[in-house]
Amino acid sequence: MVILKRFSMLFILILLVGCQINEEKQAQLFKEREIDEVTKERMDWLPETYELTIAAIGDLLIHDRVYDEARTETGFDFMPMVDGIKDYLTDVDITTANQESMIGGEEHGLSSYPQFNSPQEVGDMVSEMGVDIVNLANNHTLDRGEAVIYSALDYWDELGILYTGSYRNEEDQAEIRVIEKNNISVSFLGYSYGTNGIPIPEGKDYLINLIDQQQIAQDVERAKESSDVVVMHLHFGDEYVRMPNMFQQELVQYVADLGVDIVFGHHPHVLQPTDWVESEDGQETFVIYSLGNFLSGQDQHYRQIGGIMELTIKKEVSSSSETITLESPQFLPTYVDIDDGYRMFPMKDLSDDRLAEADDHYQEIKEHMSQWMPELDFFE
């Protein structure tokens, strides 16, 4: 009986110890689970950061002297003209350009100033440079009529390059162009001050977006709904004037207040400065009032200078907010040598043999472009 009692007490003791161990394990498991949940909650609050680079180039205005220089036995080859600068666009995530002359092609008869129609091989050059979207809203959009516009749009579609500012029909016009890369979506809009007096065909306002504040406000609202960043091409300003006029500045302030993030300006055919424009709600819009000529047949010093504008877009996402910032504005001034086959060069690389007092001209352009934005960086 004594042995049985001792056995019973031992059994009870083992059960108690086992229960204690089991309780300790359960407590440890609960503790680990609680730690995991806290860790997960903290991880949910850690922001994720995405970024992309966006670049813009100015006017592609192809005069007859330019496409005659590019003519080959089988067509046209414009690549030798841009070989000297195209590598600066290689690592950019999104590139946009102002295609000022319609690329209707030879079937519609090529033409130059004052009413342009360019070879479709211009589009091949644009594609090879890595351009993702072209702005077509400018004062030369209607130069050669609807047929040339439709022919150009067909070729952009064939190349897989998006276009904005000129459209096939109302449905095409209503579709906001959005490019998404690196988890950041960017929409593109384009508008022109006019059409050189050429009337828009009745009922076909979609052929060109004109600067109309009501339409712009509606388009920006839809663009903001479908993208993180809104980019706007504006064709405005005084030709050959190196500073923006009051209309340009007031319009940029208007679109900044609407929520546009980036403005790329065109039309003056010369460079105009960069700036940050503060909106009503305290946000900053980046603007370059004019990107000047990129490739054209225009002479005179300042009309031969354009450039590549590059920005970094950053998107920070947490469980409670999403923030977009624009950083690292960087500019590459470029020069078209009209005496050497319209070949393009970075101004920083020019010798005095190609442009007299080249470095002095380069330094003057740097000062001109950064006068309102001292932090503007330049490719070196």
Side-chain angles (χ1 to χ4, degrees):
M1 291 293 293
V2 173
I3 294 174
L4 182 60
K5 285 182 179 180
R6 288 178 179 174
F7 178 79
S8 298
M9 291 178 64
L10 180 62
F11 179 73
I12 292 170
L13 183 61
I14 291 171
L15 284 175
L16 289 172
V17 171
C19 288
Q20 184 178 355
I21 293 172
N22 192 42
E23 287 175 0
E24 289 176 354
K25 284 185 176 179
Q26 279 188 325
Q28 181 65 27
L29 285 172
F30 280 124
K31 187 176 181 180
E32 290 176 356
R33 184 179 301 168
E34 185 179 347
I35 291 172
D36 286 344
E37 288 175 356
V38 171
T39 303
K40 182 177 183 299
E41 185 176 343
R42 287 177 179 172
M43 289 295 290
D44 286 342
W45 280 88
L46 286 176
E48 295 182 352
T49 301
Y50 308 93
E51 67 176 60
L52 64 75
T53 50
I54 182 170
I57 59 178
D59 304 339
L60 289 158
L61 184 62
I62 311 302
H63 295 79
D64 51 5
R65 44 195 174 274
V66 178
Y67 62 68
D68 284 342
E69 181 68 33
R71 194 183 295 273
T72 68
E73 292 182 0
T74 57
F76 300 86
D77 182 8
F78 294 91
M79 284 310 298
M81 298 177 180
V82 299
D83 274 339
I85 54 85
K86 66 181 179 62
D87 288 345
Y88 289 93
L89 298 171
T90 302
D91 296 327
V92 179
D93 294 306
I94 300 175
T95 301
T96 185
N98 181 53
Q99 181 61 56
E100 187 143 355
S101 53
M102 281 289 175
I103 56 168
E106 288 186 281
E107 63 180 291
H108 297 283
L110 301 181
S111 56
S112 185
Y113 182 83
Q115 293 182 306
F116 289 84
N117 176 39
S118 300
Q120 293 190 323
E121 286 88 342
V122 173
D124 298 334
M125 173 193 67
V126 170
S127 177
E128 196 162 338
M129 285 195 297
V131 173
D132 301 282
I133 182 167
V134 291
N135 171 59
L136 302 179
N138 64 78
N139 55 306
H140 291 291
T141 303
L142 295 180
D143 276 1
R144 295 289 306 280
E146 296 175 58
V148 165
I149 292 176
Y150 295 138
S151 179
L153 300 187
D154 286 343
Y155 202 68
W156 293 121
D157 284 342
E158 186 177 327
L159 291 170
I161 294 176
L162 297 176
Y163 54 84
T164 190
S166 179
Y167 308 94
R168 298 179 182 280
N169 48 48
E170 292 178 350
E171 292 75 20
D172 191 26
Q173 185 182 37
E175 181 182 344
I176 301 294
R177 272 46 174 182
V178 179
I179 299 175
E180 182 169 352
K181 290 189 178 180
N182 305 341
N183 205 37
I184 301 175
S185 54
V186 184
S187 59
F188 291 83
L189 302 169
Y191 306 87
S192 174
Y193 75 91
T195 61
N196 287 343
I198 300 173
I200 299 174
E202 187 175 352
K204 298 184 177 181
D205 291 345
Y206 50 79
L207 290 175
I208 182 171
N209 276 351
L210 295 179
I211 293 173
D212 175 273
Q213 289 193 358
Q214 183 176 355
Q215 181 189 346
I216 288 174
Q218 293 171 350
D219 292 346
V220 170
E221 184 177 358
R222 293 188 298 118
K224 289 170 65 176
E225 291 172 354
S226 58
S227 65
D228 299 310
V229 176
V230 180
V231 175
M232 183 174 292
H233 288 270
L234 287 174
H235 206 81
F236 60 175
D238 299 316
E239 287 189 313
Y240 319 129
V241 176
R242 300 183 70 208
M243 297 298 289
N245 61 29
M246 188 63 69
F247 173 74
Q248 287 173 275
Q249 292 176 296
E250 290 177 349
L251 183 60
V252 170
Q253 184 66 63
Y254 174 75
V255 301
D257 291 340
L258 291 175
V260 172
D261 299 284
I262 300 171
V263 175
F264 295 129
H266 316 284
H267 181 60
H269 301 298
V270 294
L271 290 174
Q272 293 182 346
T274 57
D275 200 5
W276 296 107
V277 176
E278 186 174 338
S279 67
E280 291 176 333
D281 61 2
Q283 299 300 308
E284 284 193 323
T285 295
F286 173 84
V287 56
I288 177 167
Y289 282 98
S290 174
L291 274 157
N293 288 327
F294 189 71
L295 177 60
S296 85
Q298 290 191 333
D299 58 6
Q300 300 188 30
H301 177 70
Y302 289 120
R303 304 179 200 182
Q304 295 170 241
I305 298 173
I308 298 173
M309 187 72 241
E310 184 177 314
L311 283 168
T312 297
I313 301 171
K314 284 192 176 181
K315 175 181 176 181
E316 193 171 85
V317 182
S318 70
S319 58
S320 61
S321 65
E322 182 175 302
T323 305
I324 296 291
T325 56
L326 305 177
E327 300 180 357
S328 307
Q330 194 172 19
F331 190 66
L332 177 77
T334 57
Y335 179 78
V336 177
D337 191 338
I338 62 176
D339 297 318
D340 187 14
Y342 297 93
R343 292 169 62 201
M344 296 184 63
F345 301 90
M347 283 196 77
K348 66 184 180 65
D349 297 335
L350 290 178
S351 66
D352 288 349
D353 292 336
R354 192 172 294 279
L355 175 63
E357 300 178 337
D359 189 61
D360 290 342
H361 288 300
Y362 176 49
Q363 296 304 322
E364 190 272 332
I365 290 296
K366 290 171 68 174
E367 292 173 7
H368 175 65
M369 296 306 292
S370 62
Q371 60 186 284
W372 293 336
M373 189 183 292
E375 73 273 21
L376 179 65
D377 198 8
F378 293 85
F379 289 85
E380 296 296 348

